[in-house]
Amino acid sequence: MIAIVAVDSNWAIGKDGGMLYDLPSDLKHFARETRGKTLVMGRATLESLPGGKPLPGRDNIVLTRNRDYQVPGAVVLHSIAELAAHIRGLPPESVMLIGGDRLYHALIDSCETAIVTKIDAESPADSFFPDLDERDNWRLDACSKDLAENGLVFRYCTYRNLAVKPLHE
């Protein structure tokens, strides 16, 4: 599994259910990286997507504790065990974790890679991604050159997990 996320200098990812920064080129990067893949997300992340609908051109999995929750165009699962069973047999690089923060924290160590857009800014936030620079099992593999858009400087970085933990069924 691969995590994909945009973070600021404090590893913040959102506030009040929305993104912190407007970076159209990063949204295009996200689309390129996720197209044709299986996406794993929480209910609030799904509802924050355009129209609150699953992303086209991808298999969408929504993980929620709400057993009555249904959404056309997505598979709804209710536990990490159900997720593990559902994605068993899929190549790890074809499954992408896209949020939100509770799922990132629960599943990050089961990801082999994290594609992190690092934004040189700080904003008030209530959602955070695990700080991979502080985790012993994660290593920064590569970063792009600095890019700029809408007055923000950012770069695309790839982290590798040196001790991937299996999802338990």
Side-chain angles (χ1 to χ4, degrees):
M1 187 162 39
I2 299 170
I4 187 166
V5 68
V7 302
D8 75 2
S9 300
N10 295 317
W11 294 84
I13 60 174
K15 181 161 175 54
D16 299 329
M19 296 188 310
L20 297 175
Y21 305 100
D22 179 27
L23 291 172
S25 61
D26 186 50
L27 293 177
K28 289 177 185 167
H29 169 75
F30 174 88
R32 278 191 309 273
E33 292 289 335
T34 62
R35 196 167 288 115
K37 307 275 177 79
T38 297
L39 305 185
V40 176
M41 69 195 87
R43 178 203 46 80
T45 297
L46 171 77
E47 292 174 357
S48 75
L49 297 175
K53 297 182 180 187
L55 292 171
R58 301 149 181 96
D59 292 328
N60 291 256
I61 298 173
V62 179
L63 201 56
T64 178
R65 290 183 295 256
N66 181 346
R67 297 229 169 242
D68 297 324
Y69 190 78
Q70 295 181 14
V71 60
V75 172
V76 178
L77 302 174
H78 307 288
S79 68
I80 291 173
E82 285 182 18
L83 174 63
H86 189 82
I87 65 172
R88 186 184 331 113
L90 293 177
E93 67 277 5
S94 74
V95 179
M96 299 196 75
L97 177 61
I98 69 166
D101 70 341
R102 276 186 275 165
L103 276 185
Y104 283 135
H105 284 273
L107 300 176
I108 191 62
D109 287 328
S110 295
C111 294
E112 295 181 353
T113 305
I115 301 169
V116 181
T117 303
K118 294 185 107 176
I119 304 163
D120 293 341
E122 293 180 16
S123 287
D126 57 19
S127 299
F128 295 85
F129 190 81
D131 181 343
L132 299 183
D133 292 326
E134 297 294 322
R135 295 176 86 97
D136 290 340
N137 55 314
W138 284 91
R139 293 291 179 268
L140 178 61
D141 205 31
C143 281
S144 71
K145 64 180 174 58
D146 284 354
L147 305 165
E149 185 175 31
N150 290 342
L152 296 165
V153 175
F154 62 99
R155 70 203 60 76
Y156 301 119
C157 297
T158 303
Y159 284 81
R160 302 270 178 230
N161 186 348
L162 305 177
V164 178
K165 294 182 179 176
L167 286 177
H168 294 287
E169 295 183 32

